[in-house]
Amino acid sequence: MQELSGIRIKTLARRLKADLLALSLAARDPRTPWVARAWALLVLAYALSPIDLIPDFIPVLGYLDDLLLVPAGLWLALRLIPPAVLEEARREAAAHPRNLARSAWGLGLMVLIYVALLLALWVWWSGRR
């Protein structure tokens, strides 16, 4: 039974990787609406960023965000992209598989999100006094 679940996890990981590559290609396509493009870039930035919204050293929650947020964001991003664009991107990703590198832009975006969240928390906390 463990072998079967191990195979499933590897298959899901390969599919996730292929979909992230296809998403990267589709986000660059001019036929992709700006909302889908913006969401795709946010998902890619988060997935490729070396830091997470919830750091991995926090027990359970640290890995849960990787297991839930990335697939959920990817699912929504893929739904926002026109089917013809997505199909073409998936074909190109399958024909030319490559690794997506860690992203300095993703790191920068995540740092900005952290700063914005901390600023919002500080404003909220200051207003309560």
Side-chain angles (χ1 to χ4, degrees):
M1 187 67 164
Q2 283 185 326
E3 288 178 29
L4 185 58
S5 64
I7 292 170
R8 285 183 186 160
I9 290 171
K10 288 180 183 178
T11 302
L12 287 173
R14 272 190 233 112
R15 185 173 178 192
L16 181 68
K17 182 180 170 184
D19 277 346
L20 284 171
L21 179 56
L23 184 63
S24 170
L25 296 168
R28 297 181 194 140
D29 193 303
R31 298 173 291 171
T32 301
W34 73 268
V35 171
R37 190 176 298 190
W39 185 256
L41 292 175
L42 184 65
V43 168
L44 287 165
Y46 184 76
L48 299 175
S49 172
I51 61 172
D52 293 334
L53 195 58
I54 303 171
D56 289 341
F57 65 81
I58 297 175
V60 181
L61 292 178
Y63 290 109
L64 220 88
D65 75 325
D66 292 331
L67 294 172
L68 297 176
L69 291 179
V70 172
L74 180 62
W75 177 83
L76 180 58
L78 294 175
R79 298 297 174 280
L80 293 172
I81 294 172
V85 174
L86 183 57
E87 187 59 38
E88 190 176 309
R90 281 184 168 152
R91 274 196 308 270
E92 187 177 339
H96 306 290
R98 60 184 183 271
N99 288 331
L100 291 170
R102 290 285 183 188
S103 168
W105 287 102
L107 174 63
L109 181 61
M110 293 311 299
V111 167
L112 283 175
I113 290 173
Y114 270 128
V115 169
L117 287 173
L118 288 172
L119 183 62
L121 184 62
W122 180 76
V123 168
W124 174 76
W125 185 258
S126 299
R128 292 189 63 197
R129 291 183 181 183

